[in-house]
Amino acid sequence: RDWSSDVCSSDLLNGFAIRGGAYSALIEAATPAMQRVAHHTHETVSLAVAAPGGLNSIAQVDGTYLLGSRNWVGEFVPLHCSAAGKVLMAFGAAHIPDVLPARTPETITDRARLDDELAVVRERGFATIRNELEPGLTSVAVAVRDPQGHVVAAMSVTAPGERLTEQLEVSLARAMSTALNDSVSPSREGAA
């Protein structure tokens, strides 16, 4: 099926609901890592997978800050202006869109610049956004891999930029990677 032709939100929601069972093992495997990171950072932690033309968050653990991120579960987000989307594109789990619309003045809309950004993501092992999806919103994401090493999802921490500073990005990415490595890897079977 050509998922890229599904533009109707009800079609996307139906597809998400149908595939929801396939994500059960992935969510179950990643939840302890997400809980650990949320407990450590007090920030919202999400798990996202590639979707037609973007990504969908399939699980979330809320942080404890009063001013926090929204509930991302079931939300469609463009790949090019999300940290999780950059991870999925950089490691081949999602196709790079032909059109890169601006969400904010900081959104990367030039393909060559995005290609450069994805090379950096592959080199350092994590992706970031700062004001690219929404002003004031910052996110750091790392790859979630199956036992064979294929990227099947991305885990991200999303917070206001005042709390998630550039100085914290590397340590946060390491904390997420460590938490994922300490968790049981999801089986490829059932992961989308």
Side-chain angles (χ1 to χ4, degrees):
R1 179 173 181 186
D2 179 12
W3 289 101
S4 63
S5 65
D6 289 345
V7 294
C8 176
S9 62
S10 64
D11 287 345
L12 287 173
L13 290 174
N14 288 336
F16 182 75
I18 291 166
R19 293 187 311 270
Y23 296 132
S24 297
L26 177 61
I27 293 167
E28 184 177 334
T31 295
M34 294 170 57
Q35 290 171 332
R36 182 173 162 189
V37 172
H39 176 75
H40 176 71
T41 64
H42 306 285
E43 300 291 2
T44 299
V45 182
S46 299
L47 182 68
V49 295
L55 66 86
N56 268 321
S57 291
I58 59 171
Q60 177 172 307
V61 175
D62 293 329
T64 57
Y65 283 115
L66 293 176
L67 177 60
S69 187
R70 65 186 287 172
N71 185 344
W72 294 99
V73 175
E75 290 290 324
F76 173 83
V77 177
L79 292 165
H80 70 290
C81 55
S82 67
K86 288 180 183 181
V87 164
L88 295 172
M89 290 185 296
F91 294 104
H95 296 289
I96 300 170
D98 294 328
V99 179
L100 307 171
R103 294 284 296 247
T104 74
E106 302 296 320
T107 304
I108 296 174
T109 59
D110 175 73
R111 175 62 190 260
R113 187 170 163 222
L114 180 61
D115 288 341
D116 291 344
E117 175 87 5
L118 298 180
V120 170
V121 170
R122 285 187 293 276
E123 180 181 314
R124 68 182 180 190
F126 68 93
T128 63
I129 61 162
R130 191 166 294 283
N131 303 311
E132 293 179 52
L133 180 61
E134 181 177 295
L137 185 69
T138 299
S139 185
V140 176
V142 298
V144 177
R145 297 177 184 274
D146 68 11
Q148 292 75 38
H150 300 107
V151 174
V152 295
M155 178 193 291
S156 62
V157 171
T158 305
E162 294 79 26
R163 285 200 309 258
L164 210 166
T165 63
E166 289 185 51
Q167 293 78 14
L168 294 175
E169 292 173 354
V170 172
S171 63
L172 182 55
R174 284 185 187 144
M176 285 190 285
S177 294
T178 298
L180 284 166
N181 288 335
D182 291 347
S183 296
V184 178
S185 297
S187 69
R188 184 69 176 148
E189 182 180 330

